[in-house]
Amino acid sequence: KEAYYRMNNEVNASHILIQVDRSAAPADTLIAYNRINDLKKQVEAGENFGVVARNHSEGPSAVSKGEIGWFGPFKMVFEFESAAYDTEVGEVSDIFRTDFGYHILTVNDKRETPDDVTVAHIMTYDQRQDSTVNAKQRIDEIYGQLESGKDFAAMAREFSEDINSANNGGKMPRFGTGGLNAPEFEQSAFNLNEIGSYTNPVKTKFGWHIIQLLEKHPNPTFEDSESKLRDQIKKSPR
């Protein structure tokens, strides 16, 4: 039931990590603990969490000020997941330990988990060597044609530069939060409510996109989820 609740309620968090192995000598463990404790005191005294994370965190998220985005159960190690769910929005967690070391985190936001979606998209990007028209201009022209009544799938087949989906009318596999490693794309897709509706041009690290909603997949009931969740729990450190 805890996993099911978390499956339906996501957390957005940032964290600071001081690395220390589980098998480290007590002296090294104490050094790491004192370091994370000092950083926690800095944050509690008013230092910006993101700045402290960027300057001192030893995790890969330090370059993005400790931000790790939206997640639900089974995405992080259990101690990290529980610390995030047990911390209120805007608060800083107690110090906790995982196999990676000592952490503190702050919760940026919480939300109900969006339904998985199936979408189609049209994409342009700026790596073509033979064009004087940039990706933004091309996507705007395509958007204008869609607004004039052109068929989305036909436009995707003709103009989309995503070779993996263009031949299929732009259709992509079903996804949920974190499924694409493109938060701007995901959020724009989740915000669509009417089947067949499409977004304004959306920019991601991959290029420019127009996204059309084909299907929403409502989150399953507890009864439908229970067997799968039990299997996941048995196979995890939980």
Side-chain angles (χ1 to χ4, degrees):
K1 287 182 178 179
E2 177 188 78
Y4 179 75
Y5 170 82
R6 293 177 178 181
M7 187 175 80
N8 286 278
N9 296 274
E10 295 179 331
V11 180
N12 185 300
S14 302
H15 84 125
I16 297 170
L17 166 67
I18 297 300
Q19 295 178 345
V20 62
D21 193 84
R22 289 278 195 189
S23 59
D28 293 330
T29 300
L30 183 60
I31 290 171
Y33 180 86
N34 286 337
R35 287 185 63 198
I36 197 74
N37 193 43
D38 287 343
L39 297 177
K40 186 174 191 293
K41 288 178 180 177
Q42 289 181 37
V43 172
E44 290 175 339
E47 292 285 338
N48 180 272
F49 192 98
V51 172
V52 175
R54 185 185 61 205
N55 293 337
H56 300 287
S57 180
E58 296 174 348
S61 66
V63 294
S64 57
K65 297 183 178 181
E67 296 176 9
I68 52 177
W70 291 100
F71 61 92
F74 305 102
K75 302 293 186 183
M76 307 290 178
V77 294
F78 187 53
E79 301 97 330
F80 193 106
E81 175 193 312
S82 290
Y85 277 93
D86 291 343
T87 302
E88 297 298 324
V89 174
E91 298 296 320
V92 177
S93 72
D94 293 332
I95 296 168
F96 61 97
R97 192 173 185 179
T98 71
D99 287 343
F100 302 101
Y102 284 112
H103 310 249
I104 56 171
L105 62 77
T106 186
V107 173
N108 304 315
D109 203 0
K110 294 184 179 183
R111 70 180 182 189
E112 290 187 11
T113 303
D115 293 338
D116 283 9
V117 293
T118 300
V119 303
H121 81 135
I122 300 169
M123 173 181 166
T124 62
Y125 62 97
D126 274 333
Q127 296 178 16
R128 298 197 331 185
Q129 301 299 317
D130 59 346
S131 176
T132 58
V133 182
N134 66 33
K136 180 63 164 67
Q137 291 172 301
R138 294 198 303 277
I139 204 73
D140 285 342
E141 291 172 2
I142 293 166
Y143 183 81
Q145 292 189 56
L146 290 172
E147 289 288 270
S148 71
K150 292 292 182 69
D151 179 71
F152 194 100
M155 294 291 288
R157 282 189 286 269
E158 185 172 357
F159 296 111
S160 181
E161 295 168 6
D162 174 14
I163 59 174
N164 294 314
S165 66
N167 290 337
N168 199 27
K171 185 176 180 180
M172 303 174 64
R174 169 178 172 172
F175 64 87
T177 301
L180 299 181
N181 191 28
E184 305 90 349
F185 189 106
E186 292 176 10
Q187 193 56 53
S188 296
F190 296 149
N191 287 342
L192 293 170
N193 292 309
E194 184 178 344
I195 303 301
S197 62
Y198 53 85
T199 65
N200 293 322
V202 176
K203 191 176 191 309
T204 72
K205 62 185 178 182
F206 302 108
W208 285 91
H209 315 258
I210 303 169
I211 307 161
Q212 183 184 47
L213 180 63
L214 302 180
E215 189 175 0
K216 276 187 176 282
H217 307 277
N219 292 320
T221 64
F222 177 73
E223 289 72 22
D224 289 338
S225 305
E226 183 176 2
S227 177
K228 180 181 177 181
L229 287 172
R230 286 188 182 279
D231 287 341
Q232 284 181 282
I233 289 166
K234 288 176 183 176
K235 295 173 183 175
S236 79
R238 309 164 93 89

